[in-house]
Amino acid sequence: MDLKNVHLIYFSPTHTSQRVGEAIVRGIGLETVEVSDLTHAPADFPAADAGTLTVVALPVYGGHLPQLALLRMAALRASGAPAVAVVVYGNRAYEQALEELGTLLSGKGFRVTAAGTFVGEHSYSTVARPIAPGRPDGKDLEEAESFGRRIRQKLEAAAGAGQLPATVDVSRIRRPRQPLLPLLRFVYGVARLRKSGRPLPATPVVDEALCTHCGRCVAACPNEAIAKGDECHTLAERCIRCCACVKGCPQQARRFETPFAALLSGNFRRQKPNETIL
């Protein structure tokens, strides 16, 4: 197999998965790079050939892949082409998301030859309640580039030996350790919250006195939950709570006030490492 180009696919409302995916591609170091950004629309994918390495980087929402991203990947297909599965999570847990992505890619005809889990700033993170703030940082991106270099070395070694690159069992990737006491406090807090019957916010709230109707939130929303000219309202049935509108508002007019933010910030302060498998 002669590796000729790389195809980066990502869904990244707050740009964390995008930045990790781009760093991996920089490390791979091929001149021909195709990019499919699924954040705002699906892509029409041609069948991936054996000379194309496909890198898929997706965020984790509640321990799973975002359904909107999966819908926009519906046309993805291959016949034995290599792929890299990457998930980016907000320092709590990615649960089954990496296995979901590995299964998805295998089912579409790819050979998953490498996989990684990276930490990105949580969608609910704020200055008052930070959750992995600023990640991926410079060190994270250096690790992603190093991962890309090792992926290329693996594929070139297989090609030199006249073999197909070995696939990986993504379930065997090393799981980051989580201190028991904060985890129990989080589980207890979630149970109390659910038992209380306290209604949870479905959309961000908007301070109408601060909103200038600049339209940044409209452009940032991946699912058209905000309409131009009506920026102070958000359609609950379309909001995926990615908080791209909150983080992108130049006037700080939008807030997503969920009690989960305090639980996450208070109990997941220890920064988890990135993990890879080749």
Side-chain angles (χ1 to χ4, degrees):
M1 182 194 73
D2 184 16
L3 191 62
K4 297 178 180 178
N5 49 66
V6 61
H7 183 189
L8 172 61
I9 301 170
Y10 61 79
F11 176 87
S12 191
T14 58
H15 309 296
T16 54
S17 299
Q18 175 185 355
R19 293 173 65 206
V20 169
E22 288 173 344
I24 293 170
V25 169
R26 283 196 301 272
I28 293 169
L30 293 176
E31 290 186 4
T32 304
V33 178
E34 180 183 357
V35 177
S36 294
D37 179 359
L38 306 181
T39 308
H40 297 285
D44 184 17
F45 299 103
D49 59 51
T52 298
L53 172 62
T54 301
V55 178
V56 181
L58 300 180
V60 178
Y61 294 163
H64 297 280
L65 301 176
Q67 287 300 307
L68 187 59
L70 299 183
L71 288 172
R72 291 175 179 173
M73 291 172 60
L76 188 63
R77 63 195 188 281
S79 183
V84 180
V86 178
V87 297
V88 180
Y89 68 107
N91 202 50
R92 182 189 69 83
Y94 55 87
E95 297 182 22
Q96 302 304 310
L98 184 62
E99 291 183 43
E100 290 174 3
L101 183 52
T103 299
L104 173 73
L105 292 173
S106 297
K108 289 181 173 293
F110 288 91
R111 294 175 58 83
V112 180
T113 59
T117 60
F118 287 78
V119 176
E121 181 174 314
H122 199 287
S123 297
Y124 297 169
S125 179
T126 63
V127 173
R129 294 190 172 91
I131 313 164
R135 297 189 71 181
D137 56 22
K139 182 175 180 293
D140 294 319
L141 297 179
E142 287 177 5
E143 291 178 8
E145 285 196 42
S146 175
F147 180 43
R149 288 191 291 271
R150 289 183 286 122
I151 292 168
R152 184 169 180 176
Q153 289 168 2
K154 173 180 177 175
L155 296 180
E156 289 181 342
Q163 300 173 345
L164 292 173
T167 59
V168 296
D169 179 355
V170 301
S171 69
R172 296 178 65 85
I173 196 170
R174 183 166 54 185
R175 294 266 178 173
R177 291 184 177 182
Q178 170 62 44
L180 182 59
L181 186 56
L183 178 60
L184 291 176
R185 284 199 300 259
F186 175 75
V187 172
Y188 177 68
V190 171
R192 286 191 61 186
L193 187 61
R194 289 175 175 168
K195 187 177 180 179
S196 72
R198 176 181 173 183
L200 298 175
T203 63
V205 296
V206 181
D207 186 333
E208 297 190 23
L210 293 177
C211 179
T212 62
H213 299 276
C214 68
R216 295 275 187 90
C217 56
V218 179
C221 181
N223 202 31
E224 298 181 346
I226 310 167
K228 180 65 177 174
D230 193 23
E231 289 86 356
C232 291
H233 298 91
T234 306
L235 296 175
E237 63 272 21
R238 299 194 69 90
C239 179
I240 64 171
R241 292 173 287 283
C242 66
C243 293
C245 63
V246 175
K247 294 181 183 293
C249 178
Q251 304 301 324
Q252 298 182 332
R254 285 181 159 259
R255 305 184 310 279
F256 188 61
E257 299 178 334
T258 172
F260 281 111
L263 289 173
L264 291 164
S265 179
N267 294 297
F268 298 99
R269 293 185 180 275
R270 179 184 291 184
Q271 296 298 294
K272 290 185 168 67
N274 308 308
E275 300 289 354
T276 60
I277 186 170
L278 282 163

